[in-house]
Amino acid sequence: MSDSAPDIESPDQPPARTASRLKQRALLGLTALLVWAPALVTGYLMEHEAVNIPTWDDFERAELIARYHEGTLDWNYLASPHIEHRILVPRLITLANCALGSGDLRNEVWVNFAAMLIISICLARLILKTRSRRASSWFLIFLVNLCVFSLLQYQNLLWAVQTAFFLPLAFLCIALLALHSSLKLPVRFGIALFCALAATFSFTHGLIVWPVVLAYLL
């Protein structure tokens, strides 16, 4: 009979491994809670301070909504310039809000928050892909979140019209994350192209997505 018998796990090993995994998940959850604390604070203040009152360029939606209800809305108007900006995507969000959210401007304020959250998550993913899960990486993500969810930009946070300002950066971050992913090459390029077009038709500064993506590829 051979002396080399196969190793047999002791009965207490699986519970020990389960406990270790639970501990790791709890630690990761606590770390994420601390790192995204700026988002929680900003979201809380937006919930309590945002009001359903138009401000500045918010009044420009009057003609858009009137055309929508009259049945005279077409793609030429949707893509028409607002000052020097093409705001097709924000206009579509406004129409969706009218159709599904009764036109309450606070719904679009939460679109701003969602865009910031997308920016934060994409940047966090890029940092973790580049630097792995070191303590310094989580601290760097926390610093990024302090900037993304900064309360110094309170006007941007509370005005529905500011979706046009947040969306281009969100599309840029999605494009960079897609290009940095393990997806098939056509899928990566397709996502990057869609994001560049969507950013272009969100606000003029969305044009920066094109040279940034090109520089990344080079």
Side-chain angles (χ1 to χ4, degrees):
M1 189 172 181
S2 175
D3 293 334
S4 58
D7 292 335
I8 301 176
E9 288 188 348
S10 60
D12 61 334
Q13 277 185 333
R17 289 181 182 176
T18 301
S20 176
R21 289 175 185 170
L22 289 175
K23 183 178 179 181
Q24 290 177 353
R25 290 177 182 176
L27 181 60
L28 181 61
L30 179 60
T31 301
L33 184 63
L34 293 174
V35 166
W36 270 275
L40 297 176
V41 172
T42 298
Y44 175 83
L45 292 176
M46 290 172 70
E47 170 66 21
H48 287 80
E49 300 297 332
V51 294
N52 186 24
I53 299 175
T55 306
W56 293 88
D57 290 2
D58 276 329
F59 289 98
E60 294 292 333
R61 70 181 60 220
E63 183 178 356
L64 173 68
I65 297 173
R67 285 172 175 264
Y68 169 71
H69 287 294
E70 292 168 0
T72 59
L73 183 62
D74 56 20
W75 282 101
N76 288 331
Y77 179 80
L78 284 173
S80 64
H82 169 66
I83 313 176
E84 71 274 20
H85 313 290
R86 302 278 181 174
I87 55 172
L88 170 63
V89 177
R91 282 171 176 163
L92 292 177
I93 292 174
T94 297
L95 291 176
N97 185 21
C98 289
L100 304 175
S102 303
D104 192 326
L105 297 179
R106 288 169 293 188
N107 295 326
E108 293 175 52
V109 168
W110 282 110
V111 173
N112 296 342
F113 183 80
M116 288 188 290
L117 200 57
I118 290 172
I119 294 166
S120 170
I121 292 173
C122 288
L123 292 177
R125 290 285 295 168
L126 288 170
I127 291 171
L128 294 176
K129 279 178 173 287
T130 305
R131 298 174 48 86
S132 74
R133 293 186 178 183
R134 309 176 196 170
S136 58
S137 298
W138 290 110
F139 181 68
L140 181 58
I141 295 171
F142 175 73
L143 294 180
V144 167
N145 285 336
L146 283 179
C147 295
V148 173
F149 297 98
S150 171
L151 296 181
L152 290 176
Q153 55 175 344
Y154 67 92
Q155 291 177 326
N156 291 334
L157 300 176
L158 300 177
W159 294 356
V161 71
Q162 301 303 78
T163 52
F165 287 87
F166 286 113
L167 288 175
L169 183 54
F171 286 126
L172 172 61
C173 292
I174 293 172
L176 291 177
L177 183 60
L179 291 173
H180 200 68
S181 70
S182 58
L183 295 171
K184 293 182 179 180
L185 194 60
V187 177
R188 283 187 279 167
F189 281 137
I191 294 174
L193 177 60
F194 171 81
C195 289
L197 288 171
T200 300
F201 285 94
S202 293
F203 213 63
T204 298
H205 66 269
L207 290 168
I208 198 173
V209 177
W210 296 97
V212 170
V213 168
L214 178 61
Y216 181 91
L217 294 175
L218 293 175

PDB file of all heavy atoms in Angstrom, residues 62-78:
ATOM      1  N   ALA A  62     -39.106  74.997 -23.462  1.00  0.00           N
ATOM      2  CA  ALA A  62     -40.520  75.311 -23.697  1.00  0.00           C
ATOM      3  C   ALA A  62     -40.918  75.007 -25.139  1.00  0.00           C
ATOM      4  O   ALA A  62     -41.945  74.358 -25.392  1.00  0.00           O
ATOM      5  CB  ALA A  62     -40.792  76.774 -23.366  1.00  0.00           C
ATOM      6  N   GLU A  63     -40.091  75.454 -26.102  1.00  0.00           N
ATOM      7  CA  GLU A  63     -40.416  75.203 -27.505  1.00  0.00           C
ATOM      8  C   GLU A  63     -40.329  73.716 -27.825  1.00  0.00           C
ATOM      9  O   GLU A  63     -41.154  73.187 -28.575  1.00  0.00           O
ATOM     10  CB  GLU A  63     -39.472  75.979 -28.424  1.00  0.00           C
ATOM     11  CG  GLU A  63     -39.825  75.808 -29.899  1.00  0.00           C
ATOM     12  CD  GLU A  63     -38.926  76.618 -30.823  1.00  0.00           C
ATOM     13  OE1 GLU A  63     -38.067  77.367 -30.310  1.00  0.00           O
ATOM     14  OE2 GLU A  63     -39.090  76.486 -32.059  1.00  0.00           O
ATOM     15  N   LEU A  64     -39.347  73.033 -27.252  1.00  0.00           N
ATOM     16  CA  LEU A  64     -39.195  71.589 -27.478  1.00  0.00           C
ATOM     17  C   LEU A  64     -40.440  70.836 -27.022  1.00  0.00           C
ATOM     18  O   LEU A  64     -40.982  69.996 -27.759  1.00  0.00           O
ATOM     19  CB  LEU A  64     -37.966  71.081 -26.721  1.00  0.00           C
ATOM     20  CG  LEU A  64     -37.747  69.566 -26.710  1.00  0.00           C
ATOM     21  CD1 LEU A  64     -37.392  69.066 -28.108  1.00  0.00           C
ATOM     22  CD2 LEU A  64     -36.642  69.198 -25.709  1.00  0.00           C
ATOM     23  N   ILE A  65     -40.907  71.155 -25.821  1.00  0.00           N
ATOM     24  CA  ILE A  65     -42.081  70.468 -25.275  1.00  0.00           C
ATOM     25  C   ILE A  65     -43.335  70.836 -26.052  1.00  0.00           C
ATOM     26  O   ILE A  65     -44.205  69.989 -26.309  1.00  0.00           O
ATOM     27  CB  ILE A  65     -42.231  70.805 -23.782  1.00  0.00           C
ATOM     28  CG1 ILE A  65     -41.020  70.276 -22.997  1.00  0.00           C
ATOM     29  CG2 ILE A  65     -43.516  70.216 -23.215  1.00  0.00           C
ATOM     30  CD1 ILE A  65     -40.974  70.697 -21.553  1.00  0.00           C
ATOM     31  N   ALA A  66     -43.433  72.104 -26.459  1.00  0.00           N
ATOM     32  CA  ALA A  66     -44.593  72.535 -27.244  1.00  0.00           C
ATOM     33  C   ALA A  66     -44.652  71.789 -28.578  1.00  0.00           C
ATOM     34  O   ALA A  66     -45.714  71.309 -28.987  1.00  0.00           O
ATOM     35  CB  ALA A  66     -44.527  74.037 -27.484  1.00  0.00           C
ATOM     36  N   ARG A  67     -43.501  71.677 -29.249  1.00  0.00           N
ATOM     37  CA  ARG A  67     -43.458  70.942 -30.512  1.00  0.00           C
ATOM     38  C   ARG A  67     -43.813  69.470 -30.294  1.00  0.00           C
ATOM     39  O   ARG A  67     -44.482  68.849 -31.128  1.00  0.00           O
ATOM     40  CB  ARG A  67     -42.066  71.048 -31.142  1.00  0.00           C
ATOM     41  CG  ARG A  67     -41.755  72.401 -31.780  1.00  0.00           C
ATOM     42  CD  ARG A  67     -40.292  72.464 -32.204  1.00  0.00           C
ATOM     43  NE  ARG A  67     -39.981  73.681 -32.909  1.00  0.00           N
ATOM     44  CZ  ARG A  67     -39.955  73.808 -34.246  1.00  0.00           C
ATOM     45  NH1 ARG A  67     -40.245  72.758 -35.010  1.00  0.00           N
ATOM     46  NH2 ARG A  67     -39.646  74.949 -34.819  1.00  0.00           N
ATOM     47  N   TYR A  68     -43.370  68.916 -29.173  1.00  0.00           N
ATOM     48  CA  TYR A  68     -43.648  67.516 -28.869  1.00  0.00           C
ATOM     49  C   TYR A  68     -45.156  67.279 -28.724  1.00  0.00           C
ATOM     50  O   TYR A  68     -45.713  66.323 -29.285  1.00  0.00           O
ATOM     51  CB  TYR A  68     -42.917  67.130 -27.582  1.00  0.00           C
ATOM     52  CG  TYR A  68     -43.322  65.787 -27.006  1.00  0.00           C
ATOM     53  CD1 TYR A  68     -42.975  64.597 -27.627  1.00  0.00           C
ATOM     54  CD2 TYR A  68     -44.062  65.735 -25.819  1.00  0.00           C
ATOM     55  CE1 TYR A  68     -43.347  63.368 -27.096  1.00  0.00           C
ATOM     56  CE2 TYR A  68     -44.439  64.516 -25.283  1.00  0.00           C
ATOM     57  CZ  TYR A  68     -44.077  63.336 -25.909  1.00  0.00           C
ATOM     58  OH  TYR A  68     -44.469  62.131 -25.381  1.00  0.00           O
ATOM     59  N   HIS A  69     -45.826  68.174 -27.996  1.00  0.00           N
ATOM     60  CA  HIS A  69     -47.272  68.021 -27.776  1.00  0.00           C
ATOM     61  C   HIS A  69     -48.084  68.365 -29.025  1.00  0.00           C
ATOM     62  O   HIS A  69     -49.175  67.814 -29.226  1.00  0.00           O
ATOM     63  CB  HIS A  69     -47.721  68.880 -26.599  1.00  0.00           C
ATOM     64  CG  HIS A  69     -47.283  68.348 -25.263  1.00  0.00           C
ATOM     65  ND1 HIS A  69     -47.749  67.163 -24.745  1.00  0.00           N
ATOM     66  CD2 HIS A  69     -46.411  68.843 -24.340  1.00  0.00           C
ATOM     67  CE1 HIS A  69     -47.195  66.939 -23.559  1.00  0.00           C
ATOM     68  NE2 HIS A  69     -46.379  67.948 -23.289  1.00  0.00           N
ATOM     69  N   GLU A  70     -47.559  69.263 -29.853  1.00  0.00           N
ATOM     70  CA  GLU A  70     -48.283  69.652 -31.070  1.00  0.00           C
ATOM     71  C   GLU A  70     -48.068  68.658 -32.206  1.00  0.00           C
ATOM     72  O   GLU A  70     -48.752  68.720 -33.231  1.00  0.00           O
ATOM     73  CB  GLU A  70     -47.824  71.049 -31.516  1.00  0.00           C
ATOM     74  CG  GLU A  70     -48.236  72.158 -30.562  1.00  0.00           C
ATOM     75  CD  GLU A  70     -47.519  73.465 -30.867  1.00  0.00           C
ATOM     76  OE1 GLU A  70     -46.697  73.476 -31.826  1.00  0.00           O
ATOM     77  OE2 GLU A  70     -47.761  74.449 -30.158  1.00  0.00           O
ATOM     78  N   GLY A  71     -47.073  67.758 -32.045  1.00  0.00           N
ATOM     79  CA  GLY A  71     -46.779  66.792 -33.105  1.00  0.00           C
ATOM     80  C   GLY A  71     -45.946  67.363 -34.229  1.00  0.00           C
ATOM     81  O   GLY A  71     -45.907  66.793 -35.329  1.00  0.00           O
ATOM     82  N   THR A  72     -45.285  68.503 -33.993  1.00  0.00           N
ATOM     83  CA  THR A  72     -44.469  69.138 -35.039  1.00  0.00           C
ATOM     84  C   THR A  72     -42.976  68.934 -34.813  1.00  0.00           C
ATOM     85  O   THR A  72     -42.162  69.529 -35.510  1.00  0.00           O
ATOM     86  CB  THR A  72     -44.757  70.650 -35.086  1.00  0.00           C
ATOM     87  OG1 THR A  72     -44.463  71.237 -33.806  1.00  0.00           O
ATOM     88  CG2 THR A  72     -46.217  70.905 -35.443  1.00  0.00           C
ATOM     89  N   LEU A  73     -42.627  68.102 -33.855  1.00  0.00           N
ATOM     90  CA  LEU A  73     -41.216  67.876 -33.533  1.00  0.00           C
ATOM     91  C   LEU A  73     -40.596  66.948 -34.573  1.00  0.00           C
ATOM     92  O   LEU A  73     -41.152  65.901 -34.901  1.00  0.00           O
ATOM     93  CB  LEU A  73     -41.087  67.265 -32.137  1.00  0.00           C
ATOM     94  CG  LEU A  73     -39.684  67.036 -31.604  1.00  0.00           C
ATOM     95  CD1 LEU A  73     -38.931  68.352 -31.467  1.00  0.00           C
ATOM     96  CD2 LEU A  73     -39.736  66.312 -30.261  1.00  0.00           C
ATOM     97  N   ASP A  74     -39.438  67.334 -35.102  1.00  0.00           N
ATOM     98  CA  ASP A  74     -38.733  66.484 -36.066  1.00  0.00           C
ATOM     99  C   ASP A  74     -37.243  66.460 -35.715  1.00  0.00           C
ATOM    100  O   ASP A  74     -36.777  67.177 -34.828  1.00  0.00           O
ATOM    101  CB  ASP A  74     -38.949  66.978 -37.501  1.00  0.00           C
ATOM    102  CG  ASP A  74     -38.549  68.431 -37.694  1.00  0.00           C
ATOM    103  OD1 ASP A  74     -37.774  68.959 -36.862  1.00  0.00           O
ATOM    104  OD2 ASP A  74     -38.998  69.060 -38.655  1.00  0.00           O
ATOM    105  N   TRP A  75     -36.499  65.615 -36.437  1.00  0.00           N
ATOM    106  CA  TRP A  75     -35.068  65.457 -36.151  1.00  0.00           C
ATOM    107  C   TRP A  75     -34.281  66.712 -36.484  1.00  0.00           C
ATOM    108  O   TRP A  75     -33.232  66.967 -35.883  1.00  0.00           O
ATOM    109  CB  TRP A  75     -34.516  64.258 -36.916  1.00  0.00           C
ATOM    110  CG  TRP A  75     -34.877  62.965 -36.272  1.00  0.00           C
ATOM    111  CD1 TRP A  75     -35.871  62.099 -36.651  1.00  0.00           C
ATOM    112  CD2 TRP A  75     -34.276  62.392 -35.101  1.00  0.00           C
ATOM    113  NE1 TRP A  75     -35.932  61.029 -35.788  1.00  0.00           N
ATOM    114  CE2 TRP A  75     -34.964  61.176 -34.831  1.00  0.00           C
ATOM    115  CE3 TRP A  75     -33.242  62.787 -34.258  1.00  0.00           C
ATOM    116  CZ2 TRP A  75     -34.642  60.356 -33.767  1.00  0.00           C
ATOM    117  CZ3 TRP A  75     -32.909  61.965 -33.191  1.00  0.00           C
ATOM    118  CH2 TRP A  75     -33.599  60.775 -32.951  1.00  0.00           C
ATOM    119  N   ASN A  76     -34.756  67.504 -37.453  1.00  0.00           N
ATOM    120  CA  ASN A  76     -34.060  68.749 -37.781  1.00  0.00           C
ATOM    121  C   ASN A  76     -34.020  69.679 -36.583  1.00  0.00           C
ATOM    122  O   ASN A  76     -32.988  70.301 -36.298  1.00  0.00           O
ATOM    123  CB  ASN A  76     -34.741  69.447 -38.964  1.00  0.00           C
ATOM    124  CG  ASN A  76     -34.489  68.731 -40.270  1.00  0.00           C
ATOM    125  OD1 ASN A  76     -33.455  68.086 -40.427  1.00  0.00           O
ATOM    126  ND2 ASN A  76     -35.438  68.824 -41.197  1.00  0.00           N
ATOM    127  N   TYR A  77     -35.156  69.762 -35.875  1.00  0.00           N
ATOM    128  CA  TYR A  77     -35.168  70.618 -34.685  1.00  0.00           C
ATOM    129  C   TYR A  77     -34.344  69.997 -33.556  1.00  0.00           C
ATOM    130  O   TYR A  77     -33.611  70.688 -32.858  1.00  0.00           O
ATOM    131  CB  TYR A  77     -36.598  70.870 -34.203  1.00  0.00           C
ATOM    132  CG  TYR A  77     -36.630  71.727 -32.961  1.00  0.00           C
ATOM    133  CD1 TYR A  77     -36.485  73.110 -33.047  1.00  0.00           C
ATOM    134  CD2 TYR A  77     -36.765  71.149 -31.696  1.00  0.00           C
ATOM    135  CE1 TYR A  77     -36.479  73.896 -31.899  1.00  0.00           C
ATOM    136  CE2 TYR A  77     -36.760  71.930 -30.550  1.00  0.00           C
ATOM    137  CZ  TYR A  77     -36.617  73.302 -30.656  1.00  0.00           C
ATOM    138  OH  TYR A  77     -36.599  74.076 -29.520  1.00  0.00           O
ATOM    139  N   LEU A  78     -34.484  68.676 -33.365  1.00  0.00           N
ATOM    140  CA  LEU A  78     -33.759  68.016 -32.279  1.00  0.00           C
ATOM    141  C   LEU A  78     -32.248  68.207 -32.398  1.00  0.00           C
ATOM    142  O   LEU A  78     -31.548  68.366 -31.393  1.00  0.00           O
ATOM    143  CB  LEU A  78     -34.086  66.519 -32.263  1.00  0.00           C
ATOM    144  CG  LEU A  78     -35.447  66.125 -31.687  1.00  0.00           C
ATOM    145  CD1 LEU A  78     -35.702  64.645 -31.903  1.00  0.00           C
ATOM    146  CD2 LEU A  78     -35.515  66.463 -30.202  1.00  0.00           C
TER     147      LEU A  78
END
